Amino acid sequence: MRLKITHETSYVYDPPAQGLVQSLRLTPSVHEGQRVTDWAITVSGGQRGAAFRDGAGDWIEGWTVRGPVHEVVVSISGQVETRDTAGVLRGHRETVNPLVYLRQTLATAPDSGLRELAHSGRGEDALELSHRLAAAVSQAIAFVPGATGSHTSAAEALALGQGVCQDHAHALIACARECGLPARYVSGYLHSNAGGEPHDAAHAWAEIHVGTLGWVGFDAANACCPDDRYVRLGSGLDAQDAAPVSGTTFGLGEESLDVRVQVEEMGQ
């Protein structure tokens, strides 16, 4: 599938900020399931700094904006060719030991509910267990936009029984780690759901390390493994660790943001 992606995030500061430093994880991963044919990142009024590929294989760009600044717009435009690898991450170069991803965080820390959910799923091997855990999370948390916030933990989402893709990913990660399987959070884009309806927001899912097969993606929010509708950006221990945009703003004003994402299929 050939996908055209436009992604724009606008930050407004009131009163104007004295300046800001951002770290952008907004360049698609390099692996057998996707190939970037065109990609550009711009930051209004910004100066591009150092860029590097980290141990997880993610491309990181540093940007600085000098103040006073009232608004900053981070814009991404590009094209990616994707193909279905049944969720298996092949050809992705990284140096981090998978066992690092057994470490729980505040967002994925298991409570009694998550432990019960984790141990309700049995499987003869790690792959079968992962599929069962993904199905259990999908059934336990209904997809309800706006039901949770950016700081909602996996335990809170499970107790509520509602959430968004971030919550499904956190809950699946928590359950997998509880079962001894390394798991991590993945940020990216989704062209459309199983019914063909366009997806107009950034997306997230989980990857679980299943032995010799390596990392395999599971999107519990959509009850499937990532295929050619998905574009993978980067990964981390949880949503905060894998955030596409992170940084520091200098100033005491309020920050508000607006995000617009469009993923379109291009002709052959």
Side-chain angles (χ1 to χ4, degrees):
M1 187 176 287
R2 296 177 62 203
L3 299 174
K4 178 182 178 182
I5 297 167
T6 54
H7 180 183
E8 185 174 281
T9 305
S10 301
Y11 299 86
V12 174
Y13 304 97
D14 185 19
Q18 298 173 14
L20 56 100
V21 177
Q22 290 184 328
S23 180
L24 306 184
R25 187 184 279 103
L26 283 167
T27 301
S29 307
V30 178
H31 61 86
E32 292 183 9
Q34 62 187 35
R35 185 174 75 89
V36 178
T37 58
D38 180 46
W39 201 257
I41 300 174
T42 61
V43 178
S44 61
Q47 182 174 358
R48 187 174 183 268
F52 64 96
R53 192 171 303 284
D54 68 6
D58 298 336
W59 184 254
I60 312 293
E61 289 189 6
W63 285 80
T64 302
V65 181
R66 294 186 176 181
V69 54
H70 173 64
E71 181 179 20
V72 172
V73 181
V74 180
S75 302
I76 295 96
S77 177
Q79 298 176 18
V80 183
E81 292 182 357
T82 61
R83 69 183 182 90
D84 186 4
T85 60
V88 179
L89 185 66
R90 298 193 187 97
H92 183 248
R93 299 178 63 182
E94 55 186 310
T95 58
V96 176
N97 190 313
L99 296 180
V100 168
Y101 297 97
L102 283 172
R103 179 157 58 97
Q104 296 284 13
T105 67
L106 288 176
T108 65
D111 65 351
S112 59
L114 284 166
R115 290 192 179 94
E116 182 178 350
L117 188 66
H119 294 294
S120 68
R122 300 293 180 186
E124 294 184 356
D125 56 35
L127 183 60
E128 182 182 357
L129 174 58
S130 299
H131 278 290
R132 290 183 181 274
L133 291 176
V137 170
S138 182
Q139 293 172 6
I141 301 176
F143 182 78
V144 180
T148 54
S150 60
H151 297 292
T152 301
S153 70
E156 292 168 338
L158 179 61
L160 185 62
Q162 299 178 342
V164 295
C165 58
Q166 172 177 303
D167 305 301
H168 290 90
H170 279 161
L172 178 54
I173 292 167
C175 290
R177 290 173 182 165
E178 176 67 19
C179 293
L181 298 175
R184 63 189 180 188
Y185 189 98
V186 179
S187 64
Y189 303 105
L190 171 62
H191 170 255
S192 59
N193 62 21
E197 298 174 353
H199 191 82
D200 58 357
H203 196 53
W205 57 95
E207 286 178 346
I208 302 175
H209 199 271
V210 293
T212 56
L213 200 55
W215 291 106
V216 180
F218 294 89
D219 181 4
N222 286 293
C224 66
C225 287
D227 53 28
D228 59 355
R229 296 170 298 150
Y230 290 72
V231 173
R232 186 185 190 279
L233 280 177
S235 64
L237 291 167
D238 56 21
Q240 182 177 1
D241 194 38
V245 180
S246 59
T248 300
T249 301
F250 303 101
L252 300 176
E254 298 287 333
E255 177 187 279
S256 60
L257 67 86
D258 179 59
V259 181
R260 283 169 285 182
V261 176
Q262 188 171 28
V263 183
E264 305 170 86
E265 183 177 6
M266 303 176 66
Q268 298 298 317

